[in-house]
Amino acid sequence: MPWFEDVEIGTRTELGSYTFSEEEIVRFATKYDPQPFHIDPETAKAGPFGGLVASGWHTAATWMKLMVRTRMGERAAAREEASSEPAAGPSPGFLDLKWPTPVRPGDTISYSTTVIEKIELRSRPNWGIIRSRNEGVNQNGELVLSFTGQGLVQRRT
């Protein structure tokens, strides 16, 4: 992650794609979101989606996995270029989480993040908040996940 001052609004980062299998959908949901339309393919046929669908939490957790992998790669590259890099802090939470289209077995979701806002913190002048629009889109171009993420990023002193 670059320093707060170096982050540009509008910067878009492709995080990668992920294909959801039926087995994985059932395994995740059995452990974390055991609703019938996530864990039982036969029962799901009569459910609200007409078949098995992934938990929204599964799609969000996959976004997080790809985001962390991308950021770790960026940090490794930054360490090679410079002797110091800014600290990236925790997230104070996210806003407007939506799952507008269900994710079905075999769907491939492509994830991205786009910087939309920078907030300077008066209470913590060494830190700022970066807000990003985060999305997942399936192979048909349909939005399946969207939310506004927030992350604390160190400022130059």
Side-chain angles (χ1 to χ4, degrees):
M1 176 61 86
W3 294 96
F4 178 84
E5 292 82 1
D6 297 335
V7 174
E8 293 184 26
I9 293 175
T11 300
R12 179 181 170 94
T13 303
E14 299 297 330
L15 304 175
S17 298
Y18 193 84
T19 301
F20 288 77
S21 70
E22 180 175 308
E23 177 184 325
E24 185 179 24
I25 288 170
V26 170
R27 184 175 47 238
F28 182 96
T30 298
K31 190 169 184 177
Y32 299 108
D33 190 359
Q35 298 180 73
F37 46 84
H38 296 321
I39 64 172
D40 185 338
E42 287 306 311
T43 302
K45 289 178 184 175
F49 304 106
L52 190 74
V53 297
S55 167
W57 299 113
H58 190 178
T59 62
T62 302
W63 172 90
M64 189 68 196
K65 176 183 177 177
L66 294 175
M67 171 59 94
V68 169
R69 184 180 72 189
T70 298
R71 292 293 183 235
M72 296 304 271
E74 290 172 355
R75 285 188 184 123
R79 279 192 293 277
E80 290 176 11
E81 293 175 15
S83 60
S84 69
E85 64 180 84
S91 170
F94 54 81
L95 310 166
D96 302 320
L97 175 63
K98 296 176 183 162
W99 297 301
T101 304
V103 173
R104 300 182 183 279
D107 280 354
T108 298
I109 309 306
S110 298
Y111 294 94
S112 65
T113 184
T114 304
V115 177
I116 60 170
E117 184 177 11
K118 294 169 61 173
I119 302 168
E120 296 179 6
L121 298 176
R122 291 187 187 126
S123 62
R124 297 176 79 181
N126 294 336
W127 292 88
I129 292 177
I130 302 294
R131 285 194 176 152
S132 299
R133 169 92 172 146
N134 301 287
E135 296 181 334
V137 177
N138 68 18
Q139 67 279 356
N140 300 318
E142 299 167 310
L143 187 66
V144 302
L145 169 73
S146 69
F147 67 96
T148 300
Q150 304 181 102
L152 289 166
V153 177
Q154 193 174 16
R155 297 181 70 187
R156 287 190 177 91
T157 54

